[in-house]
């Protein structure tokens, strides 16, 4: 079971980074940020929280995520994957 939401996003896109920050605030820190591209070290330094990296796209492939940002949540025994649109 997931204790936190998993948020997959591309740190090279500043709009996705901004959206990720807003989602983390909305869910009051119960989000684990996972990068699909970009520098996790830069985000860890500026956000002062752990930021994870999806090594070789293993998790996105296993979960069937086609586009990022995507938020993975647990609903009962199932995983819910919401692939979100990035605001312009």
């Amino acid at each position: 079971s997931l204790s936190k939401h998993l948020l997959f996003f591309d740190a090279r896109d500043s709009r996705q980074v901004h959206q990720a920050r807003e989602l983390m605030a909305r869910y009051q820190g119960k989000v684990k940020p996972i990068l699909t591209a970009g520098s996790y070290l830069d985000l860890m330094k500026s956000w002062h929280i752990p930021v994870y990296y999806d090594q070789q796209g293993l998790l996105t492939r296993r979960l069937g995520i086609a586009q990022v940002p995507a938020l993975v949540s647990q609903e009962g025994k199932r995983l819910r994957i919401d692939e979100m649109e990035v605001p312009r």
Side-chain angles (χ1 to χ4, degrees):
S1 67
L2 294 177
S3 59
K4 294 185 175 188
H5 301 279
L6 305 178
L7 177 60
F8 293 85
F9 65 102
D10 183 343
R12 299 173 300 181
D13 183 349
S14 61
R15 296 174 302 154
Q16 288 189 38
V17 172
H18 180 73
Q19 186 177 25
R21 195 68 176 150
E22 286 178 347
L23 284 168
M24 288 171 27
R26 183 183 313 156
Y27 288 104
Q28 301 171 349
K30 294 190 187 280
V31 174
K32 187 178 283 191
I34 303 173
L35 296 185
T36 57
S39 174
Y40 71 95
L41 282 174
D42 291 342
L43 284 180
M44 280 182 25
K45 288 177 184 176
S46 65
W47 289 359
H48 304 291
I49 61 168
V51 177
Y52 302 90
Y53 198 86
D54 185 14
Q55 295 287 335
Q56 300 171 346
L58 179 69
L59 290 172
T60 51
R61 276 196 312 277
R62 185 171 280 175
L63 294 171
I65 295 172
Q67 77 176 41
V68 292
L71 186 68
V72 179
S73 311
Q74 182 146 12
E75 290 184 345
K77 292 185 177 187
R78 295 182 178 198
L79 291 180
R80 175 183 173 151
I81 300 172
D82 294 304
E83 294 176 347
M84 298 173 275
E85 194 171 317
V86 180
R88 295 191 183 263

